[in-house]
Coordinates of all heavy atoms in Angstrom, one line a residue:
M1 N -75.0 91.6 55.9 CA -73.7 91.3 55.4 C -73.5 92.1 54.0 O -74.1 91.7 53.0 CB -73.4 89.8 55.4 CG -71.9 89.6 55.5 SD -71.7 87.9 56.0 CE -71.1 87.1 54.5
D2 N -72.6 92.9 54.0 CA -72.3 93.7 52.7 C -71.1 93.3 52.0 O -70.0 93.8 52.5 CB -72.4 95.2 53.0 CG -72.6 96.0 51.8 OD1 -72.9 95.5 50.8 OD2 -72.2 97.2 51.8
I3 N -71.1 92.3 51.1 CA -69.9 91.9 50.3 C -69.9 92.5 49.1 O -70.9 92.5 48.3 CB -69.9 90.4 50.1 CG1 -70.0 89.7 51.6 CG2 -68.8 89.9 49.4 CD1 -70.1 88.2 51.6
P4 N -68.8 93.1 48.7 CA -68.7 93.7 47.3 C -69.0 92.6 46.1 O -68.7 91.5 46.2 CB -67.3 94.2 47.2 CG -66.8 94.3 48.6 CD -67.6 93.4 49.3
M5 N -69.6 93.3 45.2 CA -70.0 92.3 44.1 C -68.8 91.7 43.4 O -68.8 90.6 42.9 CB -70.8 93.1 43.1 CG -71.5 92.2 42.1 SD -72.7 91.1 42.8 CE -74.1 91.6 42.1
W6 N -67.7 92.4 43.3 CA -66.5 91.9 42.6 C -65.9 90.6 43.3 O -65.4 89.8 42.7 CB -65.4 92.9 42.4 CG -64.8 93.4 43.7 CD1 -65.2 94.5 44.3 CD2 -63.6 93.0 44.1 NE1 -64.4 94.7 45.4 CE2 -63.3 93.8 45.3 CE3 -62.7 91.9 44.0 CZ2 -62.2 93.5 46.1 CZ3 -61.6 91.8 44.7 CH2 -61.4 92.5 45.8
I7 N -66.0 90.7 44.7 CA -65.5 89.5 45.4 C -66.4 88.2 45.1 O -66.0 87.2 45.0 CB -65.6 89.8 46.9 CG1 -64.5 90.8 47.2 CG2 -65.3 88.5 47.8 CD1 -64.4 91.3 48.6
L8 N -67.7 88.4 44.9 CA -68.5 87.3 44.6 C -68.2 86.8 43.2 O -68.2 85.5 42.9 CB -70.0 87.7 44.6 CG -70.6 88.1 46.0 CD1 -71.9 88.6 45.8 CD2 -70.5 86.9 47.0
F9 N -68.0 87.6 42.3 CA -67.5 87.2 40.9 C -66.1 86.5 41.0 O -65.9 85.4 40.4 CB -67.4 88.4 39.9 CG -68.7 89.0 39.5 CD1 -69.0 90.3 39.6 CD2 -69.6 88.1 38.9 CE1 -70.3 90.8 39.2 CE2 -70.8 88.6 38.6 CZ -71.1 89.9 38.7
V10 N -65.2 86.9 41.8 CA -63.9 86.3 42.0 C -64.1 84.9 42.6 O -63.6 83.9 42.0 CB -63.0 87.2 42.7 CG1 -61.6 86.3 43.2 CG2 -62.6 88.4 42.0
F11 N -64.9 84.8 43.5 CA -65.2 83.5 44.3 C -65.8 82.5 43.2 O -65.5 81.3 43.2 CB -66.1 83.7 45.5 CG -66.3 82.5 46.2 CD1 -65.3 81.8 46.9 CD2 -67.5 81.8 46.2 CE1 -65.6 80.7 47.6 CE2 -67.9 80.7 46.9 CZ -66.8 80.1 47.5
G12 N -66.9 83.1 42.5 CA -67.5 82.2 41.5 C -66.6 81.7 40.4 O -66.7 80.6 40.0
G13 N -65.6 82.6 40.1 CA -64.7 82.1 39.0 C -63.8 81.1 39.5 O -63.4 80.2 38.7
I14 N -63.4 81.2 40.8 CA -62.6 80.2 41.5 C -63.2 78.8 41.5 O -62.7 77.8 41.1 CB -62.1 80.6 42.8 CG1 -61.1 81.8 42.7 CG2 -61.4 79.4 43.6 CD1 -60.8 82.5 44.0
V15 N -64.5 78.9 41.9 CA -65.3 77.6 42.0 C -65.4 77.0 40.6 O -65.3 75.8 40.4 CB -66.7 77.9 42.7 CG1 -67.6 76.8 42.5 CG2 -66.5 78.3 44.1
I16 N -65.7 77.8 39.6 CA -66.0 77.2 38.2 C -64.7 76.7 37.7 O -64.6 75.6 37.2 CB -66.6 78.3 37.3 CG1 -68.0 78.6 37.7 CG2 -66.5 77.9 35.9 CD1 -68.5 79.8 37.0
S17 N -63.6 77.3 37.9 CA -62.3 77.0 37.5 C -61.9 75.7 38.1 O -61.4 74.7 37.4 CB -61.3 78.0 37.8 OG -60.0 77.6 37.4
A18 N -62.2 75.5 39.4 CA -61.8 74.2 40.1 C -62.7 73.2 39.6 O -62.2 71.9 39.4 CB -62.0 74.4 41.6
F19 N -63.9 73.3 39.3 CA -64.8 72.3 38.7 C -64.3 71.9 37.4 O -64.3 70.7 37.0 CB -66.3 72.9 38.6 CG -67.2 72.0 38.0 CD1 -67.7 70.8 38.5 CD2 -67.6 72.3 36.6 CE1 -68.6 69.9 37.9 CE2 -68.5 71.4 36.0 CZ -68.9 70.2 36.6
M20 N -64.0 72.8 36.5 CA -63.5 72.5 35.2 C -62.2 71.7 35.2 O -61.9 70.9 34.4 CB -63.4 73.8 34.3 CG -64.7 74.5 34.0 SD -65.8 73.3 33.2 CE -65.1 73.2 31.6
A21 N -61.3 72.1 36.1 CA -60.0 71.4 36.3 C -60.2 70.0 36.7 O -59.6 69.1 36.1 CB -59.0 72.1 37.4
V22 N -61.2 69.7 37.6 CA -61.3 68.3 38.0 C -62.0 67.6 36.8 O -61.8 66.4 36.6 CB -62.3 68.3 39.3 CG1 -62.9 67.0 39.6 CG2 -61.6 68.9 40.5
K23 N -62.9 68.2 36.2 CA -63.7 67.5 35.0 C -62.7 67.1 33.9 O -62.7 66.0 33.4 CB -64.8 68.5 34.6 CG -65.5 67.9 33.4 CD -66.6 68.9 32.9 CE -67.2 68.3 31.6 NZ -68.2 69.3 31.1
T24 N -61.8 68.1 33.6 CA -60.9 67.8 32.5 C -59.8 66.8 33.0 O -59.5 66.0 32.1 CB -60.1 69.2 32.3 OG1 -61.1 70.1 31.9 CG2 -59.1 69.0 31.0
G25 N -59.4 66.8 34.2 CA -58.5 65.8 34.7 C -59.1 64.4 34.7 O -58.4 63.5 34.1
R26 N -60.4 64.2 35.0 CA -61.1 62.9 34.8 C -61.0 62.5 33.4 O -60.8 61.4 33.2 CB -62.4 63.2 35.4 CG -62.7 62.2 36.5 CD -64.2 62.3 37.0 NE -64.1 62.8 38.4 CZ -65.1 63.5 39.0 NH1 -66.1 63.8 38.3 NH2 -64.9 63.9 40.2
E27 N -61.4 63.4 32.6 CA -61.6 63.0 31.1 C -60.1 62.6 30.6 O -60.0 61.7 29.8 CB -62.1 64.2 30.3 CG -63.6 64.4 30.6 CD -64.1 65.7 29.8 OE1 -63.3 66.4 29.2 OE2 -65.3 66.0 30.0
D28 N -59.2 63.2 31.0 CA -57.9 63.0 30.4 C -57.4 61.5 30.9 O -56.8 60.8 30.2 CB -56.8 64.0 30.9 CG -56.9 65.3 30.2 OD1 -57.5 65.4 29.1 OD2 -56.3 66.3 30.5
R29 N -57.6 61.2 32.2 CA -57.2 60.0 32.8 C -58.0 58.9 32.0 O -57.4 57.9 31.8 CB -57.6 59.9 34.3 CG -56.5 60.4 35.2 CD -56.6 60.0 36.6 NE -57.8 60.4 37.2 CZ -58.1 61.6 37.8 NH1 -57.2 62.5 37.8 NH2 -59.4 61.8 38.2
K30 N -59.3 59.1 31.8 CA -60.1 58.2 31.1 C -59.5 57.9 29.7 O -59.4 56.7 29.3 CB -61.6 58.6 30.9 CG -62.5 57.6 30.4 CD -63.9 58.2 30.3 CE -64.8 57.2 29.6 NZ -66.2 57.7 29.5
M31 N -59.3 58.9 29.0 CA -58.6 58.8 27.7 C -57.4 58.0 27.7 O -57.0 57.1 26.8 CB -58.5 60.2 27.0 CG -59.8 60.6 26.5 SD -59.7 62.3 25.8 CE -58.3 62.3 24.6
E32 N -56.5 58.4 28.7 CA -55.2 57.8 28.7 C -55.3 56.3 29.0 O -54.6 55.4 28.5 CB -54.3 58.4 29.9 CG -53.8 59.8 29.5 CD -53.0 60.4 30.7 OE1 -52.9 59.8 31.7 OE2 -52.6 61.6 30.4
N33 N -56.2 56.0 29.9 CA -56.5 54.5 30.3 C -57.0 53.7 29.0 O -56.5 52.6 28.8 CB -57.6 54.4 31.4 CG -56.9 54.7 32.7 OD1 -55.6 54.6 32.8 ND2 -57.7 55.0 33.7
E34 N -57.8 54.3 28.2 CA -58.2 53.7 27.0 C -57.1 53.5 26.0 O -57.0 52.4 25.4 CB -59.3 54.4 26.3 CG -60.7 54.5 27.1 CD -61.7 55.5 26.4 OE1 -61.4 56.1 25.5 OE2 -62.8 55.6 27.0
I35 N -56.2 54.4 25.9 CA -55.0 54.3 25.1 C -54.2 53.2 25.5 O -53.7 52.3 24.7 CB -54.3 55.6 24.9 CG1 -55.1 56.6 24.1 CG2 -53.0 55.4 24.2 CD1 -54.6 58.0 24.2
I36 N -53.9 53.2 26.9 CA -53.1 52.2 27.4 C -53.6 50.8 27.2 O -52.9 49.8 26.9 CB -52.8 52.5 28.9 CG1 -52.0 53.7 29.1 CG2 -52.1 51.3 29.6 CD1 -51.9 54.2 30.4
E37 N -55.0 50.6 27.4 CA -55.5 49.3 27.3 C -55.6 48.9 25.8 O -55.2 47.8 25.5 CB -57.2 49.4 27.5 CG -57.3 49.4 29.1 CD -58.7 49.4 29.4 OE1 -59.7 49.2 28.5 OE2 -59.2 49.9 30.5
R38 N -55.7 49.7 24.7 CA -55.6 49.4 23.3 C -54.1 49.0 23.1 O -53.9 48.0 22.3 CB -55.9 50.6 22.5 CG -57.4 50.6 22.1 CD -57.7 51.6 21.1 NE -58.0 52.9 21.8 CZ -57.7 54.1 21.5 NH1 -57.0 54.3 20.4 NH2 -57.9 55.2 22.2
E39 N -53.1 49.7 23.5 CA -51.7 49.4 23.3 C -51.5 47.9 23.9 O -50.6 47.2 23.4 CB -50.8 50.5 23.9 CG -50.8 51.7 23.1 CD -49.8 52.7 23.8 OE1 -49.3 52.6 24.9 OE2 -49.8 53.9 23.1
G40 N -52.0 47.8 25.1 CA -51.7 46.4 25.8 C -52.4 45.3 25.0 O -51.8 44.3 24.9
E41 N -53.5 45.5 24.4 CA -54.1 44.5 23.6 C -53.3 44.3 22.3 O -53.1 43.0 22.0 CB -55.6 44.9 23.2 CG -56.6 44.9 24.3 CD -58.0 45.4 23.9 OE1 -58.1 45.7 22.7 OE2 -58.8 45.6 24.8
V42 N -52.8 45.2 21.8 CA -51.9 45.0 20.5 C -50.7 44.2 20.9 O -50.2 43.3 20.3 CB -51.5 46.5 20.0 CG1 -50.4 46.2 18.9 CG2 -52.9 47.1 19.3
Y43 N -50.1 44.6 22.1 CA -48.9 43.9 22.6 C -49.2 42.4 22.9 O -48.5 41.4 22.5 CB -48.4 44.6 23.8 CG -47.1 44.0 24.4 CD1 -45.9 44.1 23.8 CD2 -47.2 43.3 25.6 CE1 -44.8 43.6 24.3 CE2 -46.1 42.8 26.1 CZ -44.8 42.8 25.5 OH -43.7 42.2 26.1
M44 N -50.3 42.2 23.5 CA -50.7 40.8 23.8 C -50.9 40.0 22.6 O -50.6 38.8 22.5 CB -51.9 40.7 24.8 CG -51.6 41.3 26.2 SD -50.3 40.5 27.0 CE -50.9 38.9 27.3
H45 N -51.6 40.5 21.6 CA -51.8 39.9 20.3 C -50.5 39.5 19.7 O -50.4 38.4 19.1 CB -52.7 40.7 19.4 CG -54.1 40.6 19.8 ND1 -54.9 39.6 19.9 CD2 -54.9 41.7 20.2 CE1 -56.2 39.9 20.2 NE2 -56.2 41.2 20.4
R46 N -49.5 40.5 19.7 CA -48.3 40.3 19.1 C -47.6 39.1 19.9 O -47.0 38.2 19.2 CB -47.4 41.5 19.1 CG -46.1 41.4 18.3 CD -45.4 42.5 18.5 NE -44.7 42.6 19.9 CZ -43.8 43.5 20.2 NH1 -43.3 44.3 19.3 NH2 -43.5 43.3 21.5
L47 N -47.6 39.1 21.2 CA -47.0 38.0 22.0 C -47.6 36.7 21.6 O -46.9 35.6 21.5 CB -47.1 38.3 23.5 CG -46.2 39.3 24.0 CD1 -46.5 39.5 25.5 CD2 -44.8 39.0 23.8
E48 N -48.9 36.6 21.5 CA -49.6 35.4 21.1 C -49.3 35.0 19.9 O -49.0 33.6 19.6 CB -51.1 35.5 21.3 CG -51.7 35.7 22.6 CD -53.1 36.0 22.7 OE1 -53.8 36.0 21.7 OE2 -53.6 36.4 23.8
K49 N -49.0 35.8 18.8 CA -48.7 35.4 17.6 C -47.3 34.8 17.5 O -47.0 33.8 16.8 CB -48.8 36.7 16.6 CG -48.6 36.4 15.2 CD -48.8 37.6 14.3 CE -48.4 37.5 12.9 NZ -48.6 38.8 12.1
E50 N -46.3 35.4 18.3 CA -45.1 35.0 18.2 C -45.0 33.7 18.9 O -44.2 32.8 18.5 CB -44.1 36.0 18.9 CG -43.9 37.2 18.2 CD -43.0 38.2 19.0 OE1 -42.6 37.9 20.1 OE2 -42.9 39.4 18.4
K51 N -45.8 33.4 20.0 CA -45.8 32.1 20.6 C -46.2 31.1 19.7 O -45.8 30.0 19.7 CB -46.7 32.3 21.8 CG -46.8 31.1 22.8 CD -47.5 31.3 24.0 CE -47.5 30.1 25.0 NZ -48.3 30.4 26.1
E52 N -47.3 31.3 18.9 CA -47.8 30.3 18.0 C -46.8 30.1 16.9 O -46.6 28.9 16.5 CB -49.1 30.9 17.3 CG -50.3 30.8 18.1 CD -51.5 31.5 17.6 OE1 -51.5 31.8 16.4 OE2 -52.5 31.7 18.3
Q53 N -46.1 31.1 16.5 CA -45.0 30.8 15.4 C -43.9 29.9 16.0 O -43.4 29.1 15.3 CB -44.4 32.3 15.0 CG -45.3 33.0 14.0 CD -44.8 34.4 13.6 OE1 -43.8 34.7 14.2 NE2 -45.4 35.1 12.8
R54 N -43.5 30.2 17.2 CA -42.4 29.4 17.7 C -42.9 28.0 18.0 O -42.2 26.9 17.9 CB -42.0 29.9 19.1 CG -41.0 31.0 19.0 CD -40.5 31.4 20.4 NE -41.2 32.6 20.8 CZ -41.7 32.8 22.0 NH1 -41.6 32.0 22.9 NH2 -42.5 33.9 22.2
K55 N -44.3 27.7 18.4 CA -44.9 26.4 18.6 C -44.9 25.6 17.1 O -44.6 24.5 17.2 CB -46.1 26.6 19.1 CG -46.8 25.2 19.6 CD -48.3 25.3 20.0 CE -48.4 26.0 21.3 NZ -49.7 26.1 21.8
D56 N -45.3 26.4 16.2 CA -45.4 25.7 14.9 C -44.0 25.4 14.2 O -44.0 24.5 13.4 CB -46.2 26.7 13.8 CG -47.7 26.9 14.2 OD1 -48.1 26.0 15.1 OD2 -48.3 27.8 13.8
K57 N -43.1 26.1 14.5 CA -41.8 26.1 13.9 C -40.9 25.2 14.8 O -40.5 25.5 16.0 CB -41.0 27.4 13.8 CG -39.8 27.4 13.1 CD -39.3 28.8 12.9 CE -37.9 28.8 12.1 NZ -37.5 30.3 11.9
P58 N -40.6 23.9 14.5 CA -39.8 23.0 15.4 C -38.4 23.5 15.4 O -37.8 24.0 14.4 CB -39.9 21.7 14.6 CG -40.2 22.0 13.3 CD -41.1 23.3 13.3
Q59 N -37.8 23.4 16.7 CA -36.5 23.9 16.8 C -35.6 22.6 16.8 O -35.6 21.9 17.8 CB -36.3 24.7 18.1 CG -37.0 25.9 18.2 CD -36.8 26.7 19.4 OE1 -36.2 26.2 20.4 NE2 -37.3 28.0 19.5
G60 N -35.0 22.3 15.7 CA -34.1 21.2 15.7 C -32.6 21.6 16.1 O -32.1 22.4 15.5
R61 N -32.2 20.8 17.0 CA -30.8 21.1 17.4 C -29.9 19.9 16.8 O -30.2 18.8 17.0 CB -30.6 21.2 18.9 CG -31.3 22.3 19.5 CD -30.9 22.5 20.9 NE -31.6 23.6 21.5 CZ -31.4 24.1 22.7 NH1 -30.6 23.5 23.5 NH2 -32.0 25.2 23.1
S62 N -28.9 20.3 16.1 CA -28.0 19.3 15.6 C -26.7 19.3 16.4 O -26.2 20.3 16.7 CB -27.7 19.5 14.1 OG -27.2 20.7 13.9
I63 N -26.3 18.1 16.7 CA -25.0 18.1 17.4 C -23.9 17.7 16.4 O -24.0 16.8 15.6 CB -25.1 16.9 18.5 CG1 -26.2 17.0 19.5 CG2 -23.8 16.7 19.1 CD1 -26.5 15.9 20.3
G64 N -22.9 18.5 16.5 CA -21.7 18.3 15.7 C -21.5 19.4 14.8 O -21.1 20.0 14.0

């Protein structure tokens, strides 16, 4: 089977490109998930802090 060398190079480039695209996509998803988790933790801490402030501060309702 006589395949020209340039076809092999093109095929190799396609394979390497696909591998790098998958690898980069995986790394990007991992980084995005870490950022989302950090933002979620900050949000949850803020909610807990506000909840404690509301609990500590009595809400007196006056009639009249």
Side-chain angles (χ1 to χ4, degrees):
M1 199 157 112
D2 194 18
I3 299 175
M5 194 62 123
W6 67 272
I7 291 179
L8 294 177
F9 284 127
V10 169
F11 182 73
I14 291 171
V15 170
I16 291 171
S17 178
F19 174 75
M20 293 302 289
V22 170
K23 181 181 172 186
T24 303
R26 236 184 248 153
E27 291 172 356
D28 285 347
R29 272 195 306 274
K30 184 179 177 183
M31 286 176 47
E32 286 177 2
N33 285 338
E34 290 174 0
I35 291 170
I36 291 170
E37 286 180 18
R38 275 189 267 137
E39 288 177 356
E41 288 175 8
V42 169
Y43 180 72
M44 292 305 293
H45 286 298
R46 191 184 68 168
L47 286 179
E48 290 173 8
K49 186 177 178 182
E50 289 178 4
K51 186 176 181 181
E52 289 175 7
Q53 287 177 351
R54 277 187 264 136
K55 187 186 290 185
D56 292 342
K57 187 178 182 182
Q59 293 182 355
R61 293 188 176 189
S62 60
I63 300 176

